[in-house]
Amino acid sequence: MAAPVPASIGATNFTLLPQNVSCPKLPGVPIPTTSLIADIMSSSDLTPALSQDQTNGGATLGTLSFPGLPKWLDGGDTAPWGNATTSNTDPEIPPSTGVTRSYDFTISRGVLSPDGVNRSMLLINNQFPGPLIEANWGDTISVTVHNAISTANEDGIPVDQEGTSLHWHGLLQKDTPYYDGVPGIQQCPIAPGNDFTYTFTADLYGTSWYHSHYSAQYAGGAAGPMIIHGPSSADYDIDVGPVMLSDWNHQDYYRLTQQDVGASQQIVKSNNTLINGKMDYDCSLLSLDSEPHDCTPFAGLAKFAFQTEKTHLLRVINPSSEAIMYFSIDSHNFTVIANDFVPVVPYTADFVTLGVGQRLDLLVEGTGDASGAYWMRTNVSSGCSAAQQGTGLAAIYYENADTNSVPANNPVAVTDLCASDSIPNDLLVAEPSFSRTPPSTFGTEQILNITVGDNGTCSNLFYMNSQTFRVDYNDPLLLDAYNGQTTFDAQRNVYNFDGYSSVLLYVINTTPIAHPMHLHGHNFWAISSGVGEWDGSTVAANPSNPNRRDVITVEPGKIQTTGEITPGYVVIGYETNNPGMWPFHCHIAWHVGAGLYVNLLEQPGALATSDTEIPDAIPQTCTNWDKFTSANFVDQIDSGLRIIRA
């Protein structure tokens, strides 16, 4: 196991670059003033200027034609999970339904206009957001992925080809760690022109999403919602379905990655803020873009149907590349019933906060007027994130409303705290429905100290315990662990927790930037968070049943007048009951691309002696990838980005 850094960090001097390094910096792009929101709210109606096919392809999310979701698939009067409830049954022990839900996805380039700005993006089955994956708790999910990412040159020869993969965010993948979908960790990338089938159990229930884990591809559109039906900690009448809150960029993710980690040292500022892949844009701002685009004003907003005196379930997801989001509905409040894949004892909130990768299941009572229209809003945290146009709008219409009418402006007051999961702080409020007590003493403790700086070549990188991460797509770590390997090159950032039944991670953030930290393969206990130095014993709330989830935001360090930073921190714990090689990383696309990532090796002996054979398709991804890369130049500009140039 890597040696921990000293426990006592205290105030830390912060310099972005070593003093003896002089790197050129481009001038920062100012965040412009725009009247877009006022223009939308003062418009005569919300008739979209573009068709759904032009903005989102075949997707129906965000349209009134989206049918909503059932309480479970296949009908019947009895739930497939029988008498199981959120409080009497361990959500991590799924039933065996014997049912397989099969999906067929093709990932390719295409041109759409989600906010009226026409741009090339990555699409799954020619849709943005990608197709909905839906299953019952305990079903088997099988997804065949075809990699068709390429562009034909003037001679018809495919160029700009890329590898890809899909990750099923939040699922435990017990007994199938090789289907977690992280290239260079559990598989090699799916090579251009090749197929790969993921088969795994819907081992938790609730709301989540899937996305490419190949560099920052999901920032270019390769993501979609994933809903697994199961017990609920409160009843509802109508499942409205996924509500995806995302920042949006008009440049290709490759260029943005170059900007973030390259010599320019520029922070990526998103261009817009979408709800279910839709929003309008102020076309006058295109003069600030570095690439030319066609733009259609008032392209169209997402729309949702409500019914009076009914309880609505909203499955809210933040699949952003960078933005921490606030979410509210004018003249309505929420009852929170789940965070991430963890059902919680219901509690109320006027607004909620979601870091990148986080999800919340919210109940909303139909208290509006039957002829009423109301704004749904998401706002990028100005304290945590950088956005050119940081407000996303959608319209909610009750049963007798004119579905092109403009809602009245009655916003909910939102406090921008840039803090850990502030609702104002659900780390303190949320209590899991199914109680699970952490050990009084964890098997081992590991400090992870986050820093940022230049690597000596004018590339801006993040470090954990003074080591940045670098992937080798041709050599997946999990396959090495199955072959008995337990030590790895330093740049692979592997922490071997062999022999420990549980792990406590103390994450110290000495950067002035918030980081939503995601752990694969586990729902962890959220032990504590704050700014300063953890005292080693304080638990945020409910010591016998702390909140659990799979993403938690570590607060930014606070810059003092002296120039020193008082670090932010989070403390999480988990049981090592899931043999595998599990990534733990910041879910901001540009940060993980700059190396803010470690791998946690769990029960390597169980992997090496497992009777379970790795499917032949896993090593075949490496055979295919080796063949492809041996004939093509691979340009890797970040921790895990490989753009193939013919």
Side-chain angles (χ1 to χ4, degrees), residues 106-356:
T106 297
I107 305 177
S108 61
R109 287 196 179 90
V111 177
L112 291 175
S113 306
D115 61 351
V117 178
N118 200 240
R119 58 152 294 188
S120 175
M121 49 193 294
L122 293 176
L123 304 176
I124 302 176
N125 291 2
N126 294 313
Q127 299 179 32
F128 175 71
L132 169 67
I133 288 178
E134 201 175 358
N136 291 329
W137 184 35
D139 286 352
T140 296
I141 298 174
S142 179
V143 185
T144 298
V145 178
H146 309 273
N147 182 357
I149 303 172
S150 69
T151 303
N153 66 13
E154 59 186 12
D155 297 320
I157 298 172
V159 296
D160 290 343
Q161 296 174 293
E162 301 179 31
T164 195
S165 73
L166 288 182
H167 167 60
W168 322 98
H169 186 107
L171 289 179
L172 303 177
Q173 295 290 355
K174 286 190 175 180
D175 300 322
T176 54
Y178 36 76
Y179 285 137
D180 192 47
V182 184
I185 310 302
Q186 295 108 1
Q187 64 172 95
C188 290
I190 305 170
N194 283 264
D195 309 331
F196 182 74
T197 299
Y198 297 90
T199 303
F200 50 89
T201 301
D203 52 20
L204 295 169
Y205 56 85
T207 300
S208 198
W209 60 305
Y210 62 89
H211 60 87
S212 171
H213 220 297
Y214 184 96
S215 182
Q217 279 183 343
Y218 84 81
M226 179 172 63
I227 306 302
I228 299 174
H229 300 284
S232 175
S233 57
D235 199 14
Y236 57 89
D237 301 302
I238 299 169
D239 189 334
V240 175
V243 181
M244 304 183 78
L245 319 174
S246 58
D247 54 18
W248 188 240
N249 297 283
H250 298 150
Q251 290 189 72
D252 179 80
Y253 78 88
Y254 178 78
R255 292 178 181 270
L256 294 172
T257 303
Q258 285 180 311
Q259 172 183 317
D260 191 68
V261 303
S264 70
Q265 305 266 319
Q266 281 191 0
I267 295 175
V268 174
K269 298 180 178 69
S270 62
N271 296 112
N272 210 345
T273 306
L274 313 181
I275 297 179
N276 278 354
K278 302 176 73 67
M279 182 55 186
D280 295 337
Y281 187 67
D282 181 349
C283 293
S284 69
L285 300 180
L286 281 180
S287 61
L288 298 175
D289 285 5
S290 61
E291 300 175 12
H293 296 282
D294 293 329
C295 184
T296 302
F298 301 106
L301 306 180
K303 297 180 178 181
F304 298 86
F306 270 29
Q307 295 185 32
T308 54
E309 300 182 358
K310 299 292 185 182
T311 301
H312 306 80
L313 171 62
L314 275 63
R315 301 174 175 275
V316 186
I317 306 164
N318 183 353
S320 296
S321 59
E322 190 265 349
I324 292 176
M325 297 286 196
Y326 297 102
F327 179 72
S328 63
I329 296 176
D330 288 13
S331 305
H332 293 70
N333 61 13
F334 304 129
T335 299
V336 183
I337 63 170
N339 57 202
D340 296 349
F341 265 140
V342 179
V344 299
V345 177
Y347 64 94
T348 59
D350 294 328
F351 71 94
V352 293
T353 308
L354 297 95
V356 181

Side-chain angles (χ1 to χ4, degrees), residues 355-438:
V356 181
Q358 291 184 327
R359 297 88 64 206
L360 290 170
D361 286 358
L362 308 176
L363 299 185
V364 183
E365 299 296 333
T367 56
D369 185 273
S371 299
Y374 300 85
W375 287 118
M376 175 187 289
R377 306 173 190 252
T378 188
N379 297 92
V380 173
S381 167
S382 60
C384 284
S385 308
Q388 186 185 76
Q389 202 298 105
T391 298
L393 294 176
I396 293 173
Y397 296 107
Y398 278 83
E399 58 265 33
N400 296 330
D402 174 356
T403 56
N404 284 318
S405 62
V406 180
N409 184 23
N410 296 298
V412 172
V414 173
T415 304
D416 190 345
L417 298 176
C418 193
S420 181
D421 311 309
S422 53
I423 297 189
N425 195 334
D426 73 2
L427 189 65
L428 299 174
V429 174
E431 179 181 357
S433 300
F434 184 82
S435 181
R436 179 172 284 116
T437 303

